Amino acid sequence: MERELQCAFCGRNKSEVTLLVAGVNSHICDYCIEQAHHIINEESTPKNSFIKNDSTETPAFILKKPKEIKKFLDQYVIGQEDTKKNLAVAVYNHYKRIHAPSTKGEDDIEIEKSNMLMIGPTGTGKTLLARSISKFLNVPFTIADATVLTEAGYVGEDVESILTRLLQVASYDIAAAEQGIVFIDEIDKISRKGDNPSITRDVSGEGVQQGLLKILEGSVVNIPPQGGRKHPDQKMIPINTQNILFIAGGAFDGLEKLIASRLNLSAIGYQNESHEKIDKKDLLHFVTPQDVRTFGLIPELIGRLPVITHLTPLDEKALKKIMIEPKNALIKQYKKLFKLDHITLNVTDEALDVIVQRAMTLGLGARGLRSLCEEIFKDFMFESDDLGDLLTLDKSLAMQKIQNFESIVYSKVS
């Protein structure tokens, strides 16, 4: 009986593969060809070069002063003056530390990096701030959702997957990735349930916090290049997190109650004169590391996020500015969308007030504005061929669209 042809690399028989390519004295299957192709691509990727974009090198890194950084952020983020100042200073000090000339022989002082924790309600601009700062500095930037992270070996994503995303954004340029920015969103969702350490496995809470410690502090972490679980035979890429800036953000819903309890703000008994100066609508202004610890973050993690800042809730005036003033303002985006269909969009000041007032009742911050605008302009975009060359959104038309949408939603619920 004639022996069936086999792949010289993996030993698979011809009947087990789709294609078997013949050589001089051996054969190779399509599976091994594909694996060899991946290996060639990996080995040919430059490991320590500038990030390439259309075969041109990116401009040299130029660090701006904090005032210039804040001025840039003002173009994209309305309000949040304290947070923008804190972020500008933290970023400036971080990259000044990285690019400072070596002082060996003069002193042995090592400047530690200052990771940042941003606390604020949803829709106040936490993610936008982090994304804007990375755009200004032209460094690799990625957003990681802490809610999908689990302790190594369990269903979900490992902590190392954060660095894999950063490396992918940097086009596998290790040198660039090691000076990037990582924004860890929803950090409050991995808080432990009580102030005492858990005696059982908390694989998506305290377990993740423990896993984050090693990458926040600054260490060499071996990560799988394509993400996923680590395997013994898999090739790993070492990433040094010493110069990666980590910015964590979260709504920390319920933190205000902990702050109020610490400040002893109570309606019972005589009113304390010192409490009259406290704005009870902005209690996050008084947040301390102890409050964050009581909420559920472990002390070791808080210590690696030394800069704690808060974002204030947006009022009607701020929401209205968000719609028209920033570079990427909502109304500017919709005007450009309609302009592509040769339609001029005009939105009256009264119509803006209607949208803002409804967004305030939803309590979703700037995200609520986007949802409302999508509903208002949806029909107009669908019927763009019949609109002519001018569309004016006034107060009555805006109210009509919002009421129609709400009536449909409520009818489905009932």
Side-chain angles (χ1 to χ4, degrees):
M1 181 177 180
E2 187 178 352
R3 185 181 177 184
E4 189 176 4
L5 296 176
Q6 290 181 327
C7 175
F9 287 85
C10 65
R12 287 183 173 89
N13 295 324
K14 184 179 180 180
S15 59
E16 297 175 330
V17 299
T18 306
L19 181 67
L20 196 65
V21 180
V24 178
N25 295 313
S26 61
H27 298 76
I28 182 172
C29 68
D30 57 320
Y31 177 81
C32 290
I33 293 173
E34 187 177 349
Q35 291 297 313
H37 177 67
H38 286 311
I39 293 171
I40 291 171
N41 285 339
E42 271 188 35
E43 293 299 327
S44 61
T45 302
K47 301 300 180 185
N48 291 293
S49 60
F50 293 102
I51 301 175
K52 297 287 193 295
N53 185 13
D54 295 332
S55 301
T56 59
E57 292 182 355
T58 57
F61 181 88
I62 300 175
L63 181 59
K64 304 289 187 179
K65 294 291 184 180
K67 285 185 178 179
E68 296 176 86
I69 297 175
K70 183 185 176 296
K71 187 177 180 180
F72 176 83
L73 292 175
D74 288 338
Q75 300 177 41
Y76 293 91
V77 182
I78 296 297
Q80 314 300 355
E81 298 299 316
D82 289 339
T83 300
K84 285 188 284 192
K85 286 180 182 178
N86 290 333
L87 182 60
V89 171
V91 167
Y92 175 70
N93 286 337
H94 177 75
Y95 285 100
K96 180 172 64 175
R97 157 186 168 270
I98 294 175
H99 296 278
S102 177
T103 57
K104 288 184 179 179
E106 298 179 17
D107 55 53
D108 295 328
I109 299 174
E110 293 183 6
I111 305 173
E112 296 182 356
K113 65 175 178 176
S114 299
N115 297 319
M116 192 173 186
L117 174 62
M118 292 194 293
I119 300 173
T122 181
T124 50
K126 299 184 292 294
T127 308
L128 180 60
L129 277 167
R131 184 181 287 113
S132 300
I133 202 74
S134 69
K135 185 187 301 181
F136 179 69
L137 296 172
N138 193 27
V139 295
F141 170 75
T142 187
I143 300 176
D145 190 346
T147 56
V148 301
L149 299 176
T150 58
E151 196 173 347
Y154 291 86
V155 175
E157 293 188 14
D158 292 346
V159 172
E160 288 83 359
S161 65
I162 295 174
L163 301 177
T164 300
R165 288 200 197 98
L166 184 65
L167 189 62
Q168 291 169 345
V169 169
S171 301
Y172 290 91
D173 184 341
I174 297 176
E178 289 180 342
Q179 295 186 15
I181 296 177
V182 174
F183 180 70
I184 306 176
D185 202 7
E186 307 292 353
I187 193 74
D188 54 316
K189 303 303 186 294
I190 60 171
S191 61
R192 61 190 186 193
K193 303 302 181 285
D195 195 28
N196 298 319
S198 176
I199 60 173
T200 57
R201 277 299 208 195
D202 187 10
V203 297
S204 62
E206 187 175 345
V208 175
Q209 294 188 49
Q210 298 285 355
L212 284 171
L213 297 180
K214 62 180 178 181
I215 68 172
L216 292 180
E217 179 67 21
S219 59
V220 178
V221 181
N222 292 319
I223 64 169
Q226 304 299 330
R229 296 296 180 188
K230 292 182 178 180
H231 302 287
D233 299 329
Q234 190 177 16
K235 182 180 178 181
M236 298 293 176
I237 298 178
I239 297 291
N240 190 344
T241 65
Q242 183 67 37
N243 294 328
I244 298 176
L245 179 64
F246 290 91
I247 303 173
F252 286 85
D253 189 28
L255 186 61
E256 295 93 338
K257 295 180 181 178
L258 299 176
I259 298 172
S261 176
R262 176 173 57 81
L263 295 176
N264 198 22
L265 298 178
S266 175
I268 301 175
Y270 295 102
Q271 182 69 33
N272 193 329
E273 292 182 2
S274 62
H275 291 165
E276 293 178 1
K277 301 178 182 179
I278 296 176
D279 184 4
K280 295 183 180 181
K281 295 181 180 179
D282 189 20
L283 288 176
L284 290 178
H285 180 73
F286 306 96
V287 66
T288 65
Q290 180 59 39
D291 298 322
V292 181
R293 178 184 177 181
T294 305
F295 187 86
L297 295 191
I298 60 177
E300 298 90 338
L301 185 62
I302 299 170
R304 287 163 176 79
L305 298 166
V307 182
I308 299 179
T309 185
H310 77 289
L311 287 84
T312 57
L314 299 171
D315 55 14
E316 290 189 13
K317 185 177 180 182
L319 287 177
K320 190 171 182 178
K321 285 184 177 181
I322 287 173
M323 294 192 71
I324 55 177
E325 290 188 5
K327 251 188 175 181
N328 294 330
L330 274 174
I331 298 302
K332 291 180 181 178
Q333 292 182 41
Y334 284 105
K335 283 186 176 182
K336 186 171 183 178
L337 282 172
F338 279 104
K339 189 176 181 180
L340 294 174
D341 289 330
H342 309 290
I343 300 172
T344 301
L345 172 65
N346 290 326
V347 182
T348 65
D349 199 58
E350 292 79 10
L352 292 175
D353 290 334
V354 170
I355 298 172
V356 166
Q357 289 166 7
R358 185 61 191 133
M360 286 292 293
T361 60
L362 292 174
L364 296 177
R367 288 191 180 92
L369 294 175
R370 182 71 190 227
S371 301
L372 287 171
C373 287
E374 286 291 336
E375 289 299 330
I376 290 172
F377 292 113
K378 177 179 64 178
D379 291 336
F380 295 123
M381 290 178 176
F382 183 78
E383 301 167 356
S384 58
D385 294 338
D386 305 324
L387 290 178
D389 57 0
L390 178 64
L391 171 62
T392 300
L393 182 70
D394 55 17
K395 179 180 178 180
S396 60
L397 190 56
M399 290 182 65
Q400 177 188 342
K401 290 294 181 181
I402 292 174
Q403 289 171 356
N404 289 344
F405 167 68
E406 290 178 345
S407 64
I408 293 172
V409 173
Y410 291 141
S411 65
K412 288 181 179 179
V413 172
S414 58

